Amino acid sequence: MAMQAAVPDNRTTIDPIALRRAFGTFVTGVTVITTVDAEGHPRGMTANSFASVSLDPPLLLVCVGKGASSYPTFAGAGKFAVNLLSDAQTDVSNLFASKATDKFAAVNHDVVHTGAPVLTDCLTWFDCSMHDRVEAGDHMILIGRVQAFGTSPSAPLGFCRGRYAQVKDPLPPGWLSSTDMIVGYLIEAQGDVLLVADGKGGWVLPTAPRRPVNGRLPVAGGGELSLVSDETFLYSVFDVDGHDSGYLIYRARLAEARGELTLPPGFRFFSPDSLPYDRIESVEMRAMLRRFVRETAGGGSYSIYMGSPDGGRVATVGAAQPWAQHVQS
């Protein structure tokens, strides 16, 4: 039998440290991936090896290092969430990259669809069931099928060359779909209205990334406001010409005394006769504020406005009443 000559191995040896640095020149976002262990305890870790895979079916992937302390939990999980961090969440990234024993104590989180923890204040979250697992060297690729997701207009947290990076102009005009709604709050305190600077010399209503919890409203830009829960109700729903997003506006009253309140940067109270209408860009927003001033002066008999192509509808409502009064047997 003829002898076969050995084929030389021409592969060069790769320096793993140099390769890691080369991989690190690719600008990525930063995620916190989360799941629950066999006892139902939340587990999470920071990762930046994330990618979208498919729209139909809706799939994504994230890579988990086999040396990570949470690796066994993720490798055996049937569900997980991927939470993309905003540029104000470097502390969250550092927390979940650490060996802290209770990483979830300092972050707001909830369950949405699968039961995996979702970080409610992040840039974007994807709640996934496990679609597939792929062994890949010293990592495992988790492929998740998206069951629910949510996003916000915050700027993303970037990562490049082993450090955090800023991403400019994260939300160009027209990015949001027409089905998205901006949630704003028309907040009154002692007859005055709370507005926030828009960064362009104008004023807008405060917006929030999520609904109030126990009367505490997290406002976009950071900080919280305390509202009277029983006096917070839907006030106006409308579209704005030239914008893809519609508006949901809630009427609310501040629970704290003005003298005890430290407002977040850019926030300011205006009396009804000094509202800066000429510095509020939206015609619809100006009209809504004028209606609010008229209704307040008329004794507080407020209405709900619903926009429509023919001019909209207004339904008058009485004083807000606690929900418990309507569900008692």
Side-chain angles (χ1 to χ4, degrees):
M1 183 175 179
M3 298 292 292
Q4 183 175 359
V7 177
D9 188 347
N10 294 322
R11 291 176 297 179
T12 58
T13 301
I14 296 293
D15 181 348
I17 296 177
L19 181 61
R20 182 183 183 91
R21 289 173 179 169
F23 282 154
T25 61
F26 182 68
V27 182
T28 72
V30 182
T31 80
V32 168
I33 57 174
T34 55
T35 189
V36 291
D37 61 21
E39 289 73 39
H41 301 135
R43 298 292 296 272
M45 58 181 287
T46 301
N48 67 339
S49 51
F50 161 83
S52 59
V53 174
S54 169
L55 295 178
D56 186 16
L59 303 177
L60 56 76
L61 68 80
V62 66
C63 299
V64 180
K66 294 181 178 178
S69 60
S70 295
Y71 169 76
T73 301
F74 281 99
K79 58 198 174 188
F80 65 94
V82 179
N83 306 271
L84 311 188
L85 300 186
S86 73
D87 63 354
Q89 293 183 299
T90 56
D91 57 336
V92 176
S93 173
N94 293 333
L95 171 65
F96 280 87
S98 73
K99 298 185 182 298
T101 55
D102 190 359
K103 299 176 182 179
F104 289 86
V107 296
N108 294 319
H109 61 281
D110 204 348
V111 293
V112 178
H113 187 278
T114 69
V118 168
L119 306 188
T120 53
D121 295 332
C122 66
L123 167 69
T124 300
W125 54 265
F126 302 95
D127 193 4
C128 305
S129 57
M130 189 70 72
H131 179 77
D132 200 1
R133 302 175 181 87
V134 180
E135 295 275 355
D138 57 4
H139 279 64
M140 176 175 282
I141 302 171
L142 306 181
I143 301 177
R145 182 172 185 131
V146 179
Q147 303 293 343
F149 68 96
T151 189
S152 75
S154 302
L157 178 62
F159 196 78
C160 183
R161 300 184 191 273
R163 58 187 178 182
Y164 298 116
Q166 289 187 328
V167 180
K168 296 182 178 179
D169 192 22
L171 196 66
W175 182 86
L176 289 174
S177 70
S178 60
T179 59
D180 286 325
M181 301 294 285
I182 296 173
V183 181
Y185 285 79
L186 203 170
I187 300 172
E188 177 266 340
Q190 298 173 302
D192 293 344
V193 176
L194 184 63
L195 299 180
V196 59
D198 64 4
K200 300 180 292 184
W203 295 91
V204 294
L205 290 178
T207 59
R210 58 183 174 85
R211 296 179 61 185
V213 176
N214 297 324
R216 304 295 299 182
L217 177 71
V219 291
E224 289 186 334
L225 297 172
S226 180
L227 306 180
V228 180
S229 298
D230 288 343
E231 298 186 28
T232 301
F233 56 88
L234 184 64
Y235 186 66
S236 193
V237 181
F238 58 89
D239 293 322
V240 173
D241 287 342
H243 292 262
D244 290 331
S245 299
Y247 280 81
L248 289 172
I249 304 297
Y250 286 85
R251 159 79 174 84
R253 185 164 66 85
L254 199 66
E256 299 171 292
R258 289 272 297 275
E260 302 173 358
L261 177 67
T262 300
L263 289 174
F267 284 70
R268 175 182 165 187
F269 280 103
F270 290 87
S271 64
D273 57 0
S274 66
L275 284 168
Y277 295 111
D278 59 338
R279 297 172 63 188
I280 297 173
E281 181 180 4
S282 164
V283 173
E284 294 83 358
M285 195 72 72
R286 294 198 298 268
M288 184 198 63
L289 286 171
R290 288 192 172 99
R291 175 170 66 89
F292 172 78
V293 171
R294 290 196 304 270
E295 290 177 341
T296 301
S301 180
Y302 297 106
S303 304
I304 297 176
Y305 169 78
M306 306 287 288
S308 65
D310 63 352
R313 302 286 186 273
V314 175
T316 301
V317 296
Q321 298 178 0
W323 176 246
Q325 295 183 11
H326 298 274
V327 296
Q328 291 174 349
S329 57

